[in-house]
Structures are given as structure tokens and as C-alpha cells.
Coordinates of all heavy atoms in Angstrom, one line a residue:
M29 N 39.2 49.5 5.2 CA 40.4 49.0 5.4 C 41.2 49.0 4.1 O 40.6 48.8 3.1 CB 40.2 47.5 5.8 CG 41.4 46.9 6.3 SD 41.2 45.2 6.9 CE 39.9 45.2 8.0
W30 N 42.6 49.3 4.2 CA 43.3 49.5 3.0 C 44.8 49.2 3.3 O 45.1 49.2 4.5 CB 43.2 50.8 2.3 CG 43.7 51.9 3.1 CD1 44.9 52.5 3.0 CD2 42.9 52.7 4.2 NE1 45.0 53.5 3.9 CE2 43.8 53.6 4.6 CE3 41.6 52.6 4.8 CZ2 43.5 54.6 5.7 CZ3 41.4 53.5 5.7 CH2 42.2 54.4 6.1
E31 N 45.6 49.1 2.3 CA 47.0 48.9 2.5 C 47.7 50.3 2.4 O 47.5 51.1 1.3 CB 47.6 48.0 1.5 CG 49.0 47.5 1.7 CD 49.4 46.4 0.9 OE1 48.6 45.8 0.2 OE2 50.7 46.0 0.9
S32 N 48.6 50.6 3.3 CA 49.3 52.0 3.3 C 50.5 51.8 2.3 O 50.8 50.7 1.8 CB 49.7 52.3 4.7 OG 50.7 51.5 5.1
W33 N 51.2 53.0 2.1 CA 52.4 53.0 1.3 C 53.4 52.1 1.9 O 54.2 51.5 1.1 CB 52.9 54.4 1.2 CG 51.9 55.3 0.3 CD1 51.1 56.2 0.8 CD2 51.8 55.3 -1.1 NE1 50.5 56.8 -0.2 CE2 50.9 56.3 -1.4 CE3 52.4 54.5 -2.1 CZ2 50.6 56.5 -2.7 CZ3 52.0 54.8 -3.4 CH2 51.0 55.8 -3.7
G34 N 53.5 51.9 3.1 CA 54.5 51.1 3.8 C 54.0 49.6 3.8 O 54.6 48.8 4.6
S35 N 53.2 49.2 3.2 CA 52.5 47.8 3.0 C 51.9 47.4 4.5 O 51.7 46.2 4.8 CB 53.6 46.8 2.6 OG 53.9 47.1 1.3
N36 N 51.5 48.4 5.2 CA 50.7 48.1 6.4 C 49.2 48.1 6.1 O 48.7 49.1 5.4 CB 51.1 49.0 7.6 CG 52.5 48.8 8.1 OD1 53.0 47.9 8.0 ND2 53.0 49.9 8.6
M37 N 48.4 47.2 6.8 CA 47.1 47.3 6.7 C 46.5 48.4 7.7 O 46.7 48.3 8.8 CB 46.4 46.0 6.9 CG 46.7 44.9 5.8 SD 46.2 45.5 4.2 CE 44.4 45.5 4.2
V38 N 45.7 49.3 7.2 CA 45.2 50.3 8.0 C 43.6 50.4 8.0 O 42.9 49.9 7.0 CB 45.6 51.6 7.4 CG1 45.1 52.8 8.3 CG2 47.3 51.7 7.4
V39 N 43.0 50.7 9.1 CA 41.5 50.8 9.2 C 41.2 52.2 9.7 O 41.8 52.8 10.6 CB 41.0 49.6 10.0 CG1 41.5 49.7 11.5 CG2 39.5 49.5 10.0
K40 N 40.1 52.7 9.2 CA 39.5 53.9 9.8 C 38.4 53.5 10.8 O 37.5 52.8 10.4 CB 39.0 54.8 8.6 CG 38.6 56.2 9.1 CD 38.2 57.1 7.8 CE 38.0 58.5 8.2 NZ 37.7 59.3 7.1
V41 N 38.5 54.1 12.0 CA 37.5 53.8 12.9 C 36.8 55.1 13.5 O 37.4 56.1 13.5 CB 38.3 52.9 14.1 CG1 38.7 51.6 13.7 CG2 39.3 53.8 14.7
K42 N 35.6 54.8 13.8 CA 34.9 55.8 14.8 C 35.0 55.4 16.1 O 34.7 54.3 16.4 CB 33.4 56.0 14.2 CG 33.4 56.6 12.9 CD 31.9 57.0 12.6 CE 31.9 58.5 12.3 NZ 30.7 59.1 12.2
W43 N 35.1 56.2 17.1 CA 35.3 56.0 18.5 C 34.0 56.0 19.3 O 33.2 56.9 19.1 CB 36.4 56.9 19.2 CG 37.7 56.5 18.7 CD1 38.4 57.2 17.6 CD2 38.6 55.5 19.2 NE1 39.6 56.6 17.4 CE2 39.8 55.6 18.3 CE3 38.4 54.5 20.1 CZ2 40.8 54.7 18.6 CZ3 39.6 53.7 20.3 CH2 40.7 53.8 19.6
F44 N 33.9 55.0 20.2 CA 32.8 55.0 21.2 C 33.5 55.1 22.5 O 34.6 54.8 22.7 CB 32.1 53.7 21.2 CG 31.2 53.5 19.9 CD1 31.7 53.1 18.7 CD2 29.9 53.8 20.1 CE1 30.8 53.0 17.6 CE2 29.0 53.5 19.0 CZ 29.5 53.2 17.8
Y45 N 32.7 55.8 23.5 CA 33.3 56.0 24.8 C 32.5 55.3 25.8 O 31.3 55.3 25.8 CB 33.4 57.4 25.1 CG 34.5 58.2 24.3 CD1 34.2 58.5 23.0 CD2 35.7 58.4 24.8 CE1 35.1 59.3 22.3 CE2 36.7 59.1 24.1 CZ 36.3 59.5 22.8 OH 37.3 60.2 22.1
H46 N 33.1 54.7 26.9 CA 32.4 54.1 28.1 C 32.0 55.3 28.8 O 32.7 56.4 28.8 CB 33.4 53.2 28.8 CG 33.7 52.0 28.0 ND1 32.9 50.8 28.1 CD2 34.8 51.6 27.4 CE1 33.4 49.9 27.4 NE2 34.6 50.4 27.0
P47 N 30.9 55.3 29.5 CA 30.5 56.4 30.4 C 31.6 57.0 31.2 O 31.7 58.2 31.3 CB 29.3 55.9 31.1 CG 28.8 54.8 30.4 CD 30.0 54.2 29.6
E48 N 32.3 56.2 32.0 CA 33.4 56.6 32.8 C 34.5 57.3 32.0 O 35.4 58.0 32.8 CB 33.9 55.6 33.7 CG 34.3 54.3 33.1 CD 33.2 53.3 32.7 OE1 32.0 53.6 33.0 OE2 33.6 52.3 32.2
E49 N 34.6 57.2 30.8 CA 35.7 57.9 30.0 C 35.1 59.4 29.5 O 35.9 60.1 28.9 CB 35.9 57.2 28.7 CG 36.7 55.8 29.0 CD 36.7 54.9 27.8 OE1 35.9 54.9 26.9 OE2 37.8 54.2 27.8
T50 N 33.9 59.7 29.9 CA 33.4 61.1 29.5 C 33.7 62.0 30.6 O 33.9 61.7 31.6 CB 31.9 60.9 29.0 OG1 31.0 60.6 30.3 CG2 31.6 59.9 28.0
K51 N 33.5 63.2 30.3 CA 33.7 64.4 31.3 C 32.7 64.2 32.3 O 32.9 64.6 33.5 CB 33.6 65.8 30.7 CG 34.8 66.0 29.9 CD 34.8 67.4 29.2 CE 36.1 67.6 28.5 NZ 36.1 68.9 27.9
L52 N 31.4 64.0 32.0 CA 30.4 63.7 33.0 C 30.6 62.5 33.9 O 29.9 62.4 35.0 CB 29.0 63.7 32.3 CG 28.6 65.0 31.7 CD1 27.2 64.9 31.0 CD2 28.5 66.1 32.7
G53 N 31.3 61.5 33.4 CA 31.4 60.2 34.1 C 30.1 59.4 34.0 O 29.1 59.7 33.3
K54 N 30.2 58.3 34.8 CA 29.0 57.3 34.6 C 27.9 57.9 35.3 O 28.0 58.5 36.6 CB 29.4 56.0 35.3 CG 28.4 54.9 35.0 CD 28.9 53.6 35.3 CE 27.9 52.6 35.1 NZ 28.3 51.5 34.3
R55 N 26.8 57.8 34.7 CA 25.5 58.4 35.3 C 24.6 57.3 35.7 O 24.7 56.1 35.4 CB 24.7 59.3 34.2 CG 25.5 60.5 34.1 CD 24.8 61.2 32.7 NE 25.3 60.6 31.5 CZ 26.1 60.9 30.8 NH1 26.8 62.0 31.0 NH2 26.6 60.3 29.7
Q56 N 23.7 57.6 36.6 CA 22.8 56.5 37.3 C 22.0 55.8 36.1 O 21.7 54.5 36.2 CB 21.9 57.2 38.2 CG 21.2 56.2 39.2 CD 20.4 56.9 40.2 OE1 20.1 58.0 40.1 NE2 20.2 56.1 41.3
S57 N 21.7 56.5 35.1 CA 20.9 55.9 34.0 C 21.7 55.0 33.1 O 21.2 54.2 32.3 CB 20.2 57.0 33.0 OG 21.2 57.7 32.6
D58 N 23.1 55.1 33.2 CA 24.0 54.3 32.3 C 24.0 52.8 32.9 O 24.4 52.5 34.1 CB 25.3 54.8 32.3 CG 25.4 56.1 31.5 OD1 24.7 56.3 30.7 OD2 26.3 56.9 31.9
G59 N 23.6 51.9 32.0 CA 23.7 50.4 32.4 C 25.1 49.9 32.3 O 26.1 50.6 32.0
K60 N 25.2 48.7 32.5 CA 26.4 48.0 32.6 C 27.3 48.1 31.2 O 28.3 48.3 31.3 CB 26.3 46.5 32.9 CG 27.4 45.6 32.9 CD 27.2 44.1 33.2 CE 28.2 43.3 32.8 NZ 28.0 41.9 32.9
N61 N 26.5 47.9 30.1 CA 27.1 47.9 28.8 C 26.8 49.1 27.9 O 26.6 49.0 26.7 CB 26.8 46.7 28.0 CG 27.6 45.4 28.8 OD1 28.3 45.6 29.7 ND2 27.3 44.3 28.2
A62 N 26.8 50.3 28.7 CA 26.4 51.5 27.8 C 27.8 52.1 27.1 O 28.8 52.0 27.6 CB 26.0 52.5 28.8
L63 N 27.5 52.5 25.9 CA 28.5 53.3 25.1 C 28.0 54.6 24.6 O 26.8 54.5 24.2 CB 29.0 52.3 23.9 CG 29.9 51.2 24.2 CD1 30.3 50.4 22.9 CD2 31.2 51.6 25.1
Y64 N 28.8 55.6 24.4 CA 28.5 56.8 23.7 C 29.2 56.9 22.5 O 30.4 56.8 22.4 CB 28.8 57.9 24.6 CG 27.9 58.0 25.8 CD1 28.1 57.2 27.0 CD2 26.8 58.9 25.7 CE1 27.1 57.3 27.9 CE2 25.9 59.0 26.7 CZ 26.2 58.2 27.8 OH 25.1 58.2 29.0
Q65 N 28.6 57.2 21.4 CA 29.3 57.4 20.0 C 29.8 58.7 20.0 O 29.3 59.7 20.6 CB 28.2 57.1 18.8 CG 27.2 58.2 18.8 CD 26.2 57.8 17.5 OE1 26.5 56.9 16.8 NE2 25.2 58.5 17.4
S66 N 30.8 59.0 19.2 CA 31.4 60.3 19.0 C 31.7 60.5 17.6 O 31.7 59.6 16.7 CB 32.6 60.3 19.8 OG 33.7 59.6 19.3
C67 N 32.1 61.8 17.2 CA 32.5 62.1 15.9 C 34.0 61.9 15.7 O 34.5 62.0 14.7 CB 32.2 63.6 15.7 SG 32.9 64.7 16.9
H68 N 34.7 61.5 16.8 CA 36.1 61.2 16.8 C 36.4 60.0 16.0 O 35.9 59.0 16.2 CB 36.6 61.0 18.3 CG 38.1 60.6 18.4 ND1 38.4 60.1 19.6 CD2 39.1 60.8 17.6 CE1 39.7 59.7 19.5 NE2 40.2 60.3 18.3
E69 N 37.3 60.2 15.0 CA 37.7 59.1 14.2 C 39.1 59.2 13.8 O 39.7 60.3 13.8 CB 36.8 58.9 13.0 CG 36.8 60.0 12.0 CD 36.0 59.9 10.8 OE1 34.8 59.4 11.0 OE2 36.3 60.3 9.7
D70 N 39.8 58.1 13.6 CA 41.2 58.0 13.1 C 41.5 56.9 12.4 O 40.7 56.0 12.3 CB 42.1 58.5 14.3 CG 42.1 57.5 15.3 OD1 41.7 56.3 15.1 OD2 42.6 57.9 16.5
E71 N 42.8 56.8 11.9 CA 43.4 55.7 11.2 C 44.3 54.9 12.1 O 45.1 55.5 12.7 CB 43.9 56.2 9.9 CG 42.9 56.8 9.0 CD 43.6 57.4 7.8 OE1 44.9 57.4 7.7 OE2 42.9 58.1 7.0
N72 N 44.1 53.6 12.1 CA 45.0 52.7 12.9 C 45.4 51.6 12.2 O 44.7 51.1 11.3 CB 44.2 52.3 14.3 CG 43.9 53.4 15.2 OD1 44.9 54.0 15.7 ND2 42.7 53.7 15.2
D73 N 46.5 51.1 12.7 CA 47.0 49.8 11.9 C 46.1 48.7 12.4 O 45.7 48.8 13.5 CB 48.5 49.6 12.6 CG 49.1 48.4 12.0 OD1 48.7 47.2 12.1 OD2 50.1 48.6 11.1
V74 N 45.7 47.9 11.7 CA 44.8 46.7 11.9 C 45.2 45.9 13.1 O 44.4 45.4 13.8 CB 44.4 45.8 10.7 CG1 43.6 46.8 9.7 CG2 45.6 45.1 10.2
Q75 N 46.6 45.8 13.3 CA 47.1 45.0 14.5 C 46.7 45.6 15.8 O 46.8 44.9 16.8 CB 48.6 44.9 14.3 CG 48.9 44.0 13.1 CD 50.5 43.9 13.0 OE1 51.3 44.4 13.8 NE2 50.9 43.2 11.8
T76 N 46.2 46.8 15.8 CA 45.8 47.4 17.1 C 44.4 46.9 17.5 O 43.9 47.2 18.6 CB 45.8 48.9 17.1 OG1 44.9 49.4 16.2 CG2 47.2 49.3 16.7
I77 N 43.7 46.3 16.6 CA 42.3 45.8 16.9 C 42.4 44.6 17.9 O 43.1 43.6 17.5 CB 41.5 45.5 15.7 CG1 41.4 46.6 14.8 CG2 40.2 44.9 16.0 CD1 40.9 46.4 13.5
S78 N 41.7 44.7 19.0 CA 41.7 43.5 19.9 C 40.6 42.6 19.7 O 40.8 41.4 19.9 CB 41.7 44.0 21.3 OG 40.6 44.8 21.7
H79 N 39.5 43.1 19.4 CA 38.3 42.3 19.2 C 37.2 43.1 18.5 O 37.2 44.3 18.6 CB 37.9 41.5 20.5 CG 37.4 42.5 21.5 ND1 38.3 43.2 22.3 CD2 36.1 42.8 21.9 CE1 37.6 43.9 23.1 NE2 36.3 43.7 23.0
K80 N 36.2 42.4 18.1 CA 35.0 43.2 17.5 C 33.9 43.1 18.7 O 33.8 42.3 19.6 CB 34.5 42.5 16.3 CG 33.9 41.2 16.4 CD 33.3 40.7 15.0 CE 32.6 39.5 15.2 NZ 31.9 39.1 14.0
C81 N 33.0 44.0 18.6 CA 31.7 44.1 19.5 C 30.6 44.5 18.7 O 30.7 45.0 17.5 CB 32.0 45.0 20.7 SG 32.1 46.7 20.2
Q82 N 29.5 44.4 19.2 CA 28.3 44.7 18.6 C 27.6 45.9 19.4 O 27.4 45.7 20.7 CB 27.3 43.5 18.5 CG 26.0 43.8 17.8 CD 25.2 42.5 17.6 OE1 25.5 41.4 18.0 NE2 24.0 42.6 16.9
V83 N 27.1 46.9 18.8 CA 26.5 48.0 19.4 C 25.1 48.2 18.9 O 25.0 48.3 17.7 CB 27.3 49.4 19.4 CG1 26.6 50.5 20.1 CG2 28.8 49.2 19.9
V84 N 24.1 48.1 19.7 CA 22.7 48.2 19.2 C 21.9 49.2 20.0 O 22.4 49.7 21.1 CB 22.0 46.8 19.3 CG1 22.7 45.8 18.4 CG2 22.0 46.3 20.8
G85 N 20.7 49.6 19.6 CA 19.9 50.4 20.4 C 19.5 49.8 21.7 O 19.6 48.6 21.9
R86 N 19.2 50.7 22.7 CA 18.9 50.2 24.0 C 17.7 49.2 24.0 O 17.8 48.1 24.7 CB 18.6 51.2 25.1 CG 18.6 50.7 26.4 CD 18.6 51.9 27.4 NE 18.7 51.2 28.7 CZ 19.2 51.8 29.8 NH1 19.5 53.1 29.8 NH2 19.3 51.3 31.0
E87 N 16.7 49.6 23.4 CA 15.5 48.6 23.3 C 15.9 47.1 22.8 O 15.5 46.1 23.3 CB 14.4 49.1 22.5 CG 13.1 48.4 22.6 CD 12.0 49.1 21.9 OE1 11.7 50.3 22.1 OE2 11.4 48.5 21.1
H88 N 16.7 47.2 21.6 CA 17.1 46.1 21.0 C 18.0 45.2 22.0 O 18.0 44.1 22.1 CB 17.8 46.4 19.7 CG 18.1 45.1 18.9 ND1 19.1 45.0 17.9 CD2 17.5 43.9 18.9 CE1 19.1 43.9 17.4 NE2 18.1 43.1 17.8
Y89 N 18.9 45.9 22.7 CA 19.9 45.3 23.6 C 19.1 44.6 24.7 O 19.3 43.5 25.0 CB 20.7 46.5 24.3 CG 21.5 46.0 25.4 CD1 22.7 45.4 25.2 CD2 21.2 46.2 26.8 CE1 23.6 45.0 26.2 CE2 21.9 45.8 27.8 CZ 23.1 45.2 27.5 OH 24.0 44.8 28.6
E90 N 18.0 45.3 25.3 CA 17.2 44.7 26.3 C 16.5 43.5 25.9 O 16.4 42.4 26.5 CB 16.3 45.7 26.9 CG 17.0 46.7 27.8 CD 16.1 47.9 28.2 OE1 14.9 47.9 27.9 OE2 16.7 48.8 28.9
Q91 N 16.0 43.4 24.6 CA 15.5 42.3 24.0 C 16.4 41.1 23.8 O 16.1 40.1 24.2 CB 14.9 42.6 22.6 CG 13.5 43.5 22.7 CD 13.1 43.9 21.3 OE1 13.8 43.7 20.3 NE2 12.1 44.6 21.2
M92 N 17.6 41.5 23.3 CA 18.5 40.4 23.1 C 19.1 39.8 24.5 O 19.2 38.6 24.5 CB 19.8 41.0 22.4 CG 19.6 41.5 21.0 SD 20.8 42.4 20.2 CE 21.9 41.0 19.8
T93 N 19.2 40.6 25.5 CA 19.8 40.0 26.8 C 18.8 39.3 27.5 O 19.1 38.6 28.4 CB 20.4 41.2 27.6 OG1 19.4 42.3 27.9 CG2 21.6 41.8 27.1
R94 N 17.4 39.4 27.2 CA 16.5 38.5 27.8 C 16.5 37.1 27.1 O 16.1 36.1 27.7 CB 15.1 39.1 27.6 CG 14.8 40.2 28.4 CD 13.3 40.5 28.4 NE 12.9 41.3 27.3 CZ 12.8 42.6 27.1 NH1 13.3 43.3 28.1 NH2 12.4 43.2 25.9
S95 N 17.2 36.9 26.0 CA 17.4 35.7 25.5 C 18.7 34.9 25.9 O 19.7 35.7 26.1 CB 17.6 35.8 23.8 OG 18.1 34.7 23.3
K96 N 18.6 33.7 26.3 CA 19.7 33.0 26.8 C 20.9 33.0 25.8 O 22.0 33.0 26.3 CB 19.4 31.6 27.0 CG 18.6 31.3 28.3 CD 18.4 30.0 28.7 CE 17.5 29.9 29.9 NZ 17.8 28.6 30.6
K97 N 20.7 33.2 24.6 CA 21.8 33.2 23.5 C 22.7 34.4 23.8 O 23.9 34.3 23.5 CB 21.1 33.3 22.2 CG 22.1 33.4 21.0 CD 21.4 33.4 19.7 CE 22.4 33.6 18.5 NZ 21.8 33.6 17.3
Y98 N 22.2 35.5 24.3 CA 22.9 36.7 24.5 C 23.3 37.1 25.9 O 24.0 38.0 26.1 CB 22.3 37.9 23.8 CG 22.1 37.7 22.3 CD1 20.9 37.3 21.8 CD2 23.2 38.0 21.5 CE1 20.8 37.2 20.3 CE2 23.0 37.9 20.1 CZ 21.9 37.3 19.5 OH 21.8 37.3 18.2
Q99 N 22.8 36.4 26.9 CA 22.8 36.9 28.3 C 24.3 37.0 28.7 O 24.6 38.0 29.5 CB 22.2 35.9 29.2 CG 20.6 36.2 29.2 CD 19.9 35.2 30.2 OE1 20.4 34.2 30.7 NE2 18.7 35.6 30.5
D100 N 25.2 36.1 28.3 CA 26.5 36.2 28.8 C 27.6 36.7 27.9 O 28.8 36.7 28.1 CB 27.0 34.7 29.3 CG 26.2 34.1 30.3 OD1 25.7 34.9 31.3 OD2 26.0 33.0 30.4
R101 N 27.1 37.4 26.9 CA 28.0 38.0 25.9 C 28.7 39.3 26.4 O 28.1 40.1 27.0 CB 27.3 38.4 24.6 CG 27.1 37.1 23.8 CD 26.5 37.4 22.4 NE 27.3 38.4 21.7 CZ 26.8 38.7 20.5 NH1 25.8 38.3 20.0 NH2 27.6 39.8 20.0
Q102 N 30.1 39.2 26.4 CA 30.9 40.3 26.8 C 31.1 41.5 25.7 O 31.7 42.4 26.0 CB 32.1 39.7 27.3 CG 32.1 38.9 28.6 CD 31.5 39.4 29.7 OE1 31.8 40.6 30.2 NE2 30.5 38.9 30.3
D103 N 30.7 41.0 24.6 CA 30.9 42.0 23.4 C 29.7 42.6 22.8 O 29.7 43.2 21.8 CB 31.6 41.2 22.3 CG 30.7 40.0 21.7 OD1 29.6 39.7 22.4 OD2 31.0 39.4 20.7
L104 N 28.6 42.7 23.7 CA 27.3 43.3 23.3 C 27.1 44.5 24.1 O 27.2 44.6 25.4 CB 26.1 42.3 23.6 CG 24.8 42.9 23.2 CD1 24.6 43.2 21.7 CD2 23.7 41.8 23.6
Y105 N 26.9 45.7 23.5 CA 26.7 47.0 24.1 C 25.5 47.7 23.5 O 25.0 47.4 22.4 CB 27.9 47.9 23.9 CG 29.2 47.3 24.4 CD1 30.0 46.4 23.7 CD2 29.6 47.7 25.7 CE1 31.3 45.9 24.3 CE2 30.8 47.1 26.2 CZ 31.6 46.3 25.6 OH 32.7 45.8 26.2
Y106 N 25.0 48.7 24.2 CA 24.0 49.5 23.7 C 24.3 50.9 23.6 O 25.3 51.3 24.4 CB 22.7 49.3 24.6 CG 22.7 50.0 25.9 CD1 22.3 51.3 26.0 CD2 23.0 49.2 27.0 CE1 22.2 51.9 27.2 CE2 23.0 49.9 28.2 CZ 22.7 51.2 28.3 OH 22.7 51.8 29.6
L107 N 23.8 51.7 22.7 CA 24.1 53.1 22.4 C 23.3 53.9 23.4 O 22.1 53.9 23.5 CB 23.7 53.4 21.0 CG 24.1 54.8 20.5 CD1 25.6 55.1 20.6 CD2 23.7 55.0 19.1
A108 N 24.1 54.6 24.3 CA 23.3 55.3 25.4 C 23.2 56.8 25.0 O 22.6 57.6 25.7 CB 24.1 55.3 26.8
G109 N 24.0 57.2 23.9 CA 23.8 58.6 23.5 C 25.1 59.0 22.7 O 25.9 58.1 22.2
T110 N 25.3 60.3 22.5 CA 26.5 60.8 21.8 C 27.4 61.6 22.7 O 26.9 62.1 23.8 CB 26.1 61.7 20.7 OG1 25.4 62.8 21.1 CG2 25.3 61.0 19.6
Y111 N 28.6 61.7 22.5 CA 29.6 62.4 23.2 C 30.6 63.2 22.3 O 31.0 62.6 21.4 CB 30.3 61.4 24.1 CG 31.5 62.0 24.9 CD1 31.2 62.9 25.9 CD2 32.8 61.7 24.7 CE1 32.2 63.5 26.7 CE2 33.8 62.4 25.4 CZ 33.5 63.2 26.5 OH 34.4 63.8 27.2
D112 N 30.8 64.5 22.6 CA 31.6 65.2 21.8 C 32.9 65.5 22.6 O 32.9 66.3 23.6 CB 31.0 66.5 21.4 CG 31.8 67.3 20.5 OD1 33.0 66.8 20.1 OD2 31.5 68.5 20.1
P113 N 34.0 64.7 22.4 CA 35.3 64.8 23.1 C 35.8 66.2 22.9 O 36.7 66.7 23.6 CB 36.1 63.7 22.8 CG 35.6 63.3 21.5 CD 34.2 63.7 21.3

């Protein structure tokens, strides 16, 4: 995160894709909160950030969702693979 020449705060982000946003679409093996990492990155104004989320490996995700603490979290996802847009 840094301040641009125009005094705007900017952040560099790496993009994740929901299965339905990929060319193959959602597969049977994709669970409810699957995400695909990509090499796609760009710079955005920090005001475009809507919220943060947590992306973990599938095994860790399954362990976490078995716990009552994480069962209803809408911001918890697991890494299902990679995608090259």
C-alpha cells in the first residue's frame, strides 16, 4: 500500500477467481467457498476494497469449518487450485 502522486492511497492486489468466473465454470469438486488463485495482479485505489477475507488450504478450511467459531463465516474460503485468465 502506498500514496500515489495524486495523494490517493493505492494497493497492489493479486486476484482470486470464483469457479463460476473461470472458463471451465464450476466443477462438481468445487465446494461452496472455493477460490482459484491467479497470476493476475493490478493496482487499485484502496477505496475499492469492500472487505477482507481469509483463504486457506482445503484441509485447513475443512478443519476450521468443523469448529463452531468458523461455521458461519462468510469471509472464509479455500484454495481450490490455480487459474490463468
Side-chain angles (χ1 to χ4, degrees):
M29 192 179 308
W30 66 93
E31 188 173 353
S32 70
W33 290 104
S35 296
N36 292 333
M37 292 303 294
V38 179
V39 63
K40 186 173 191 175
V41 296
K42 289 192 120 185
W43 288 97
F44 288 82
Y45 289 83
H46 293 277
E48 51 276 3
E49 297 172 324
T50 67
K51 287 183 182 178
L52 293 175
K54 190 164 181 129
R55 290 169 284 263
Q56 195 171 21
S57 62
D58 292 330
K60 177 183 170 190
N61 288 359
L63 288 180
Y64 287 83
Q65 69 181 356
S66 75
C67 58
H68 176 199
E69 58 183 42
D70 62 21
E71 297 171 3
N72 291 293
D73 191 292
V74 295
Q75 293 180 2
T76 64
I77 299 170
S78 64
H79 62 281
K80 70 177 184 173
C81 69
Q82 185 175 1
V83 182
V84 297
R86 187 165 193 163
E87 188 175 310
H88 191 204
Y89 173 84
E90 290 173 0
Q91 289 173 355
M92 291 172 78
T93 55
R94 282 194 286 269
S95 162
K96 286 190 178 204
K97 179 179 177 183
Y98 295 102
Q99 279 181 345
D100 295 326
R101 284 192 44 187
Q102 301 296 312
D103 61 348
L104 179 61
Y105 297 88
Y106 73 87
L107 187 59
T110 58
Y111 176 66
D112 186 1

